[in-house]
């Protein structure tokens, strides 16, 4: 019995290892093809740098020169502050609006127009208003991060079934109780999705703001490197952004699993076990 | 008449609220609560709109250029996304080897590639189209792939039990079931393509609404910059409604009126073919 299980696990492990090996093989082959075509002159290394040069660039930017760190830190600061402020504002405003039918009706046309505007397009106007420093970039990130949580929270609150609301009312729930026990939990999955969308666009927003006018940040670094046709270093910055984007993506997914724990069976079980234990502790160990 | 009045009341209320907001804004600007250099009064914005659209007519050229860039970018990115997604949905190993790179492209903020794309494609339209295509590829890809692979198992079972071929399953079941979600992807993609085009214009360009807006706001002509921004909203709305109209045509079964119209048309065609060859029902051959 246990032998069989072990064998199955080993086989599964071997399979996944085989798949990983094949993927790695294809990646290596692609990179090698790129390197060779650069060396043979089929690709212009001025525009498509050698993969080996990109690797060297990583070493140079991160370790020997270390000049990427301050830019990376600044961009991350802009993204984080802008995201937190923008999404908090979006959710809070949506909650206020969602509680009042009339306010919602009158705000809707403005939301539609603002949704159709490419948010980043406001960039130059905001930079003219807030100056070239990091505040204007944070303001742009804030603006970019405002809408998805706002719209999703509003949709989530408005989308609650009227039957449930009338049940809450018939059982004499107060307005606060209806909100904390019904509206907010039912809206959470959508809010979480909105936060994910916002976070995904936050990085892009910060970069574009830096492209428009700035003196520090990854966007500036990319512009400088491309402007001097130091493409390998520019690729290092872009790949850094990919890694950053990946971690942000995974982090938001993890957050979603924790916040909306009832969408995942295992996590629901764990949470109800924990709550049961807490309940028992509170009531004394009578049962 | 009474009917019309009832329908007009909410419109009038909306207009009143709008007028109230504008009046409040004017008042705040007049009393100095709002800095008029940064946020000009509504009447100045209206004057700038008049100037841009009627007096100087400078905006049309930029408007059309940005429209062209965004639409071409959407076409390129959309076709690539569709093709790769259809390929991935038909062949498992294709999907396995394509998806890591698609994910890599997704987690990279596409707009970060702006300077590189401009170095590759130059200062002209092609770099804007390329950036639009890069940023709008993923929404189309992921929506199409998800929609094509998430077919209802029971319906699939029924198609199989009636002996449908692979092509029939694809064209008669998977594609129609996937179309609403594919169009949802298109809707996201077309606004992203516009963002891509505008951002590329911010970076390096000689014409387009992005350039116009940047020029205006950096010369602190804020009322005209806001007018340009509003034109960008208009452009976004136009592009979005183009896809929406197409969606309404293609996914005709979503709205009852269109469903009925198409049904009537098909029935008419059916009876014509029936009349041509009486006795033998046409179009049923492949079932026997």
């Amino acid at each position: 019995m246990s032998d069989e299980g072990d064998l199955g696990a080993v086989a599964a492990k071997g399979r996944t290892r085989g798949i990983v090996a094949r993927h790695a093989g294809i990646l290596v082959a692609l990179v090698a093809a790129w390197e060779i075509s650069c060396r043979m002159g089929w690709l212009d290394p001025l525009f498509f740098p050698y993969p080996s040069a990109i690797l060297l660039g990583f070493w140079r930017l991160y370790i020997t020169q270390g000049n990427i760190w301050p830019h990376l830190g600044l961009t991350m600061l802009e993204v984080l502050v802008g995201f937190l402020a923008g999404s908090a504002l979006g959710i809070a405003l949506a909650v206020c609006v969602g509680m009042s039918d009339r306010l919602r009706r009158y705000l809707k046309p403005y939301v539609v127009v603002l949704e159709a505007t490419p948010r980043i397009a406001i960039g130059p106007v905001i930079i003219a208003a807030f100056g070239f420093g990091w505040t204007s970039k944070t303001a742009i990130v804030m603006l970019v991060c405002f809408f998805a949580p706002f719209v999703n929270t509003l949709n989530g609150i408005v989308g609650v079934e009227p039957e449930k609301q009338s049940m809450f009312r018939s059982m004499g729930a107060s307005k606060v109780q209806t909100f904390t026990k019904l509206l907010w939990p039912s809206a959470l999955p959508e809010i979480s999705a909105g936060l994910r969308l916002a976070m995904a666009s936050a990085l892009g927003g910060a970069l574009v703001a830096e492209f428009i006018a700035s003196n520090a940040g990854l966007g500036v670094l990319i512009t400088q490197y491309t402007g001097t046709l130091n493409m390998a270093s520019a690729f290092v910055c872009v790949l850094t952004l990919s890694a950053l984007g990946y971690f942000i993506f995974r982090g938001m997914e993890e957050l979603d699993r924790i916040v909306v724990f009832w969408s995942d069976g295992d996590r629901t079980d764990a949470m109800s076990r924990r709550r049961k234990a807490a309940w028992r502790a509170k009531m004394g160990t009578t049962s | 008449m009474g009917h019309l009045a009832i329908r007009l009341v909410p419109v009038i209320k909306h207009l009143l609220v709008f007028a109230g907001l504008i009046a409040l804004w004017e008042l705040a600007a007049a009393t100095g609560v709002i800095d008029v250099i940064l946020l000009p009064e509504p009447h100045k914005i209206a004057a700038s709109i008049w100037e841009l659209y009627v007096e100087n007519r400078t905006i049309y050229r930029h408007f059309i250029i940005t429209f062209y860039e965004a639409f071409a970018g959407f076409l390129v990115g959309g076709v690539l996304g569709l093709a790769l997604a259809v390929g991935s949905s038909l062949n498992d190993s294709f999907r396995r080897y394509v998806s890591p790179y698609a994910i890599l492209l997704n987690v990279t903020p596409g707009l970060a590639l702006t300077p590189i794309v401009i170095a590759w494609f130059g200062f002209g339209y092609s770099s804007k189209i390329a950036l639009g295509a890069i940023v709008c590829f993923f929404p189309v890809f992921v929506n199409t792939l998800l929609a094509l692979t998430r077919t209802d198992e029971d319906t699939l079972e029924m198609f199989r039990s009636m002996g449908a071929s692979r092509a029939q399953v694809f064209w008669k079941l998977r594609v129609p079931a996937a179309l609403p979600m594919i169009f949802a992807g298109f809707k996201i993609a077309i606004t992203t393509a516009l963002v891509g085009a505008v951002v590329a214009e911010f970076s390096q360009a000689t014409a387009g609404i992005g350039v116009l807006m940047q020029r205006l706001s950096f010369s602190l002509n804020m009322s005209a910059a806001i007018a340009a921004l509003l034109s960008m909203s208009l452009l976004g709305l136009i592009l979005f409604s183009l896809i929406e109209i197409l969606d309404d045509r293609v996914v005709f079964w979503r709205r009852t009126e269109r469903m009925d119209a198409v049904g009537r048309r098909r029935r008419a065609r059916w009876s014509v073919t029936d009349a041509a060859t009486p006795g033998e029902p046409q179009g049923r051959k492949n079932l026997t």
Side-chain angles (χ1 to χ4, degrees):
Chain A
M1 175 71 191
S2 72
D3 272 8
E4 209 183 342
D6 282 352
L7 275 181
V10 167
K13 209 170 171 186
R15 248 198 320 276
T16 52
R17 203 178 287 163
I19 289 169
V20 169
R22 237 177 297 155
H23 273 289
I26 286 188
L27 182 67
V28 168
L30 279 177
V31 171
W34 183 354
E35 179 89 32
I36 289 170
S37 41
C38 279
R39 301 261 174 222
M40 302 297 277
W42 297 325
L43 279 176
D44 189 349
L46 201 57
F47 294 114
F48 297 88
Y50 304 110
S52 53
I54 296 178
L55 274 181
L56 279 178
F58 265 107
W59 180 256
R60 199 173 57 243
L61 259 69
Y62 277 92
I63 296 168
T64 51
Q65 292 181 351
N67 61 343
I68 200 173
W69 295 110
H71 296 285
L72 186 60
L74 186 71
T75 302
M76 281 177 75
L77 180 77
E78 289 162 4
V79 167
L80 273 181
V81 175
F83 169 71
L84 288 178
S87 53
L89 205 67
I91 293 174
L93 209 63
V95 167
C96 298
V97 172
M99 298 305 276
S100 154
D101 254 3
R102 184 172 300 162
L103 202 55
R104 198 167 62 233
R105 232 184 4 253
Y106 287 117
L107 268 178
K108 191 149 189 273
Y110 305 99
V111 172
V112 170
V113 170
L114 281 172
E115 256 203 295
T117 317
R119 260 81 86 183
I120 295 171
I122 305 179
V125 175
I126 287 190
I127 284 180
F130 286 86
F132 294 141
W134 72 279
T135 40
S136 61
K137 278 89 205 175
T138 310
I140 290 173
V141 175
M142 231 175 102
L143 208 71
V144 168
C145 289
F146 170 81
F147 283 97
F150 177 78
V151 171
N152 276 33
T153 309
L154 203 57
N155 276 341
I157 289 179
V158 174
V160 175
E161 291 99 323
E163 289 86 8
K164 284 189 185 163
Q165 272 183 319
S166 60
M167 195 181 94
F168 264 67
R169 217 174 302 133
S170 70
M171 294 177 92
S174 68
K175 212 161 174 176
V176 175
Q177 277 175 326
T178 315
F179 178 72
T180 53
K181 305 270 171 189
L182 173 67
L183 297 180
W184 181 253
S186 344
L188 261 183
E190 282 207 52
I191 294 176
S192 173
L195 286 179
R196 253 184 302 173
L197 280 178
M199 195 71 215
S201 48
L203 204 53
L207 278 161
V208 169
E210 288 169 0
F211 287 150
I212 295 173
S214 185
N215 41 30
L218 275 183
V220 177
L221 210 58
I222 296 178
T223 321
Q224 279 172 1
Y225 281 136
T226 350
T228 52
L229 282 180
N230 184 352
M231 294 302 256
S233 299
F235 266 81
V236 170
C237 296
V238 169
L239 287 174
T240 302
L241 283 169
S242 306
L244 211 58
Y246 180 73
F247 286 125
I248 287 173
F249 178 73
R250 289 308 301 269
M252 293 311 283
E253 232 169 35
E254 208 46 42
L255 191 73
D256 182 61
R257 257 165 44 90
I258 291 169
V259 174
V260 193
F261 62 86
W262 56 88
S263 67
D264 180 304
D266 293 343
R267 288 205 51 86
T268 314
D269 291 348
M271 189 56 110
S272 59
R273 264 201 305 280
R274 207 174 316 146
R275 291 211 172 152
K276 209 174 348 180
W279 186 254
R280 285 226 178 98
K282 198 167 138 196
M283 303 303 278
T285 47
T286 45
S287 56
Chain B
M1 194 59 214
H3 206 72
L4 189 69
I6 287 167
R7 281 174 68 186
L8 272 179
V9 166
V11 175
I12 291 168
K13 273 190 187 164
H14 272 293
L15 285 177
L16 279 179
V17 170
F18 183 69
L21 282 177
I22 296 286
L24 209 67
W25 185 352
E26 285 279 359
L27 197 72
T31 52
V33 179
I34 297 175
D35 188 348
V36 286
I37 296 178
L38 298 181
L39 195 60
E41 303 97 310
H43 74 259
K44 280 201 188 137
I45 296 176
S48 298
I49 291 175
W50 178 261
E51 200 180 298
L52 281 176
Y53 279 87
V54 183
E55 258 172 43
N56 297 345
R57 302 213 185 95
T58 37
I59 197 136
Y60 295 109
R61 192 172 138 257
H62 299 289
F63 198 91
I64 288 167
I65 286 169
T66 306
F67 182 89
Y68 161 68
E69 288 164 356
F71 200 75
F74 167 73
L75 281 185
V76 174
V79 166
L80 273 179
L82 264 184
L84 281 182
V86 168
S88 305
S89 79
L90 291 177
N91 187 326
D92 268 351
S93 46
F94 186 75
R95 169 167 60 214
R96 226 171 299 135
Y97 293 114
V98 162
S99 55
Y101 302 99
I103 289 170
L104 177 74
L105 190 65
N106 181 38
V107 295
T108 312
L111 298 174
L113 293 172
T114 316
I116 295 177
V117 167
I118 286 177
W120 281 346
F121 291 92
F123 296 145
Y125 300 139
S126 47
S127 56
K128 281 89 205 169
I129 295 172
L131 193 68
I134 287 173
V135 292
C136 82
F137 161 81
F138 196 77
V140 175
F141 174 77
V142 78
N143 271 37
T144 310
L145 184 55
L146 275 181
L148 282 176
T149 45
R150 263 194 211 153
T151 313
D152 182 35
E153 281 300 319
D154 294 338
T155 327
L156 195 63
E157 193 59 44
M158 197 185 88
F159 266 68
R160 286 220 190 91
S161 70
M162 292 177 93
S165 68
R166 253 182 90 101
Q168 278 172 329
V169 168
F170 184 75
W171 287 113
K172 304 267 170 187
L173 173 62
R174 285 194 200 278
V175 170
L179 275 176
M181 203 165 156
I182 293 176
F183 269 97
F186 283 165
K187 280 179 201 166
I188 301 171
I190 198 140
T191 37
T192 357
L194 177 61
V195 171
V198 168
V199 166
E201 285 175 1
F202 284 159
S203 238
Q204 283 292 350
T206 49
I209 290 199
V211 177
L212 184 70
M213 209 181 109
Q214 200 168 24
R215 245 182 246 155
L216 291 170
S217 59
F218 284 176
S219 55
L220 279 180
N221 187 352
M222 292 308 250
S223 59
I226 289 175
L229 184 67
L230 288 175
S231 325
M232 226 179 279
S233 309
L234 181 68
L235 189 56
L237 278 176
I238 292 175
L239 285 168
F240 189 83
S241 22
L242 275 182
I243 299 292
E244 204 149 58
I245 290 168
L246 198 67
D247 183 25
D248 200 49
R249 291 260 132 188
V250 176
V251 191
F252 60 86
W253 54 90
R254 191 182 292 139
R255 279 198 314 131
T256 332
E257 300 103 78
R258 282 220 41 86
M259 178 83 179
D260 289 348
V262 172
R264 264 198 307 279
R265 208 175 317 142
R266 291 210 174 155
R267 204 155 37 200
R269 203 163 54 206
W270 189 263
S271 52
V272 167
T273 46
D274 259 3
T277 52
E280 189 193 11
Q282 285 265 320
R284 298 211 167 192
K285 272 181 271 178
N286 48 10
L287 283 184
T288 51

